Amino acid sequence: MEVKKESVVKWPSVFLVSIVALILFTSSVVAQEKEVELRVLTYLGGWFNSNSYIERNIPLFEEAHPGVKVSYQINPSGSALVQLIVVEAAGGVSSDVLFVGDVIDNAVRNVLSQPALVMDLRPFLERDPNLDTRDFFPNLLQAFTHNNRLVGMPMSTFVGSVFVNKTIFNEAGLPLPTDGWDWNDLREMSRKLTQDKDRDGNPETWGFAADGYTLQHQGATPFLWSNGGDIVTPDHSRAALLEPQALEALEFFYDLHFVDRVAVPPDAGAQWTLFRQGHVGIWDSKSSNIPKNRAQALPHVDWDVIVPFHSPRTGVYVPLIASNAAAISATSKHPELAWEFIKFMVLSDRAQQLIASEEGMLPTRISYARHFMRVFQGPPANVAPLIDAVAIGRTPVWFKDAQVHKEVYDIIRVEWDQVIRQLQSVKAFAEKVTPLINAKLR
């Protein structure tokens, strides 16, 4: 039997090499065309960057989303990030995810309040099959809502927290405060805790420290709210700083610092530093300082969180609630992918567990707040007050009009600074700013 062999065409080797090279080049071009770049803008100061939390998890996101490359741009400051967002949007430069500063910061609010800069995230949240709006603390989502738009998602939960130095209490022979203590107890305890041993007018130990002195962030604000006061009426129609409950709260805050002299004044140094060095007995701050306290408190500082002090007038404590904001840029070419990135990093089951157990931050979902209680390892030993505070926390007034918002807070900031510098009284401040604020609200 004759076997016939199929004829074989012998191509020149140079030609074959050229064909292979062309195929590889074409494949490379196609792959590059299919690769999606997700551009994420953030700043150096966020908790999620100080410990490289996001950067550590980007490779995992890319692995779960083949063909996606994340460009993670860390700006040197929050103000630099805000400026970049505005400039790029005006110039038509696209970005996808924005990890910005605290939602109570006016510069951040200026960005989040503009539909030309950020998208409304409510549609993303409501149609997501893996998330339930009811699982988020309602007042936390409200803090990120402006003109009925969900302008960002909280990256963790910051809530008003009262820290104590147990060593100082023990040395003074005082028991730690318990549920039901109020401003009068705070004043009396602060007097006993304040120690000026060399009598030079600069105490070595202060009884109390607020977290700043402002009427927008911490500082005097929780006193104002807890006493039933605010800077304006609930309908934002007029100033409310001359109301008796407002004057009473602000005068109490002033007296602690400048009459009783039991609270850290502006010229005595940073309150957070003094607390971590063991020079403050009671520090009214927020839960975002827990990781910093753990890392920076000196070894002899035995600190914890306690139940907050109440207003004698109302019997309640109204803490600040806030967080860094995760937003989707209005210029994004990949908004659905941007949502998946935000969810992967801070909202998913996995992210909530990591934030609670590894980062020591209070999560944003109610179901994982309970998880936080189970897995958190102190200090502080007592984290129950944090969960209670989240349920009643609020943020400063956010006016609908961005220009009105800026002008009202500028008026308050300038004149309240005169109070803190002891150049005018609380009542003089309220009498001066009231007509100015009313003029802006008309």
Side-chain angles (χ1 to χ4, degrees), residues 17-214:
V17 170
S18 299
I19 291 292
V20 171
L22 179 61
I23 292 171
L24 292 175
F25 174 76
T26 304
S27 300
S28 174
V29 170
V30 171
Q32 289 176 9
E33 289 177 348
K34 289 183 178 179
E35 184 175 87
V36 173
E37 180 185 77
L38 191 72
R39 188 161 178 256
V40 182
L41 304 182
T42 186
Y43 72 110
L44 190 60
W47 66 264
F48 42 88
N49 287 325
S50 61
N51 58 8
S52 302
Y53 168 76
I54 300 293
E55 288 179 286
R56 285 187 278 114
N57 283 281
I58 284 176
L60 299 178
F61 177 82
E62 291 175 336
E63 182 180 340
H65 297 79
V68 175
K69 185 68 176 177
V70 176
S71 172
Y72 196 63
Q73 180 177 333
I74 302 178
N75 290 270
S77 66
S79 58
L81 171 60
V82 165
Q83 184 177 9
L84 179 67
I85 292 169
V86 173
V87 169
E88 287 196 345
V93 179
S94 176
S95 58
D96 298 295
V97 177
L98 310 173
F99 288 157
V100 297
D102 201 323
V103 71
I104 64 173
D105 183 271
N106 274 339
V108 172
R109 283 183 163 187
N110 186 52
V111 168
L112 296 178
S113 65
Q114 298 186 50
L117 297 180
V118 300
M119 294 185 181
D120 181 2
L121 299 188
R122 194 170 302 280
F124 293 88
L125 177 59
E126 291 180 346
R127 67 173 175 255
D128 195 300
N130 299 313
L131 295 173
D132 187 341
T133 304
R134 294 170 299 180
D135 192 28
F136 290 86
F137 293 104
N139 46 351
L140 186 57
L141 288 187
Q142 183 59 39
F144 286 77
T145 301
H146 184 256
N147 288 344
N148 297 317
R149 300 174 71 245
L150 185 61
V151 296
M153 289 299 293
M155 299 183 68
S156 63
T157 303
F158 305 160
V159 68
S161 309
V162 179
F163 297 105
V164 290
N165 183 325
K166 294 192 289 185
T167 303
I168 292 177
F169 270 83
N170 290 336
E171 291 174 349
L174 291 176
L176 292 179
T178 56
D179 194 22
W181 69 306
D182 64 17
W183 296 356
N184 295 321
D185 300 312
L186 171 64
R187 172 183 275 144
E188 187 60 29
M189 289 182 187
S190 297
R191 285 171 175 163
K192 293 177 179 178
L193 295 173
T194 300
Q195 298 291 323
D196 183 8
K197 295 179 180 178
D198 58 9
R199 299 185 180 183
D200 65 350
N202 297 306
E204 295 81 21
T205 302
W206 293 94
F208 177 74
D211 197 352
Y213 307 91
T214 75

Side-chain angles (χ1 to χ4, degrees), residues 45-47 50 102 104 156-161 163 211 218 276 283 285-294 296 303 305 320 322-324 359-362 372 386:
W47 66 264
S50 61
D102 201 323
I104 64 173
S156 63
T157 303
F158 305 160
V159 68
S161 309
F163 297 105
D211 197 352
Q218 285 281 109
R276 292 167 190 156
W283 181 30
S285 183
K286 55 184 181 292
S287 59
S288 56
N289 275 305
I290 288 176
K292 296 176 183 177
N293 288 352
R294 289 160 66 107
Q296 300 173 16
W303 62 278
V305 170
L320 175 77
S323 174
N324 291 94
E359 304 304 322
M361 304 293 288
L362 188 60
F372 175 80
L386 306 181

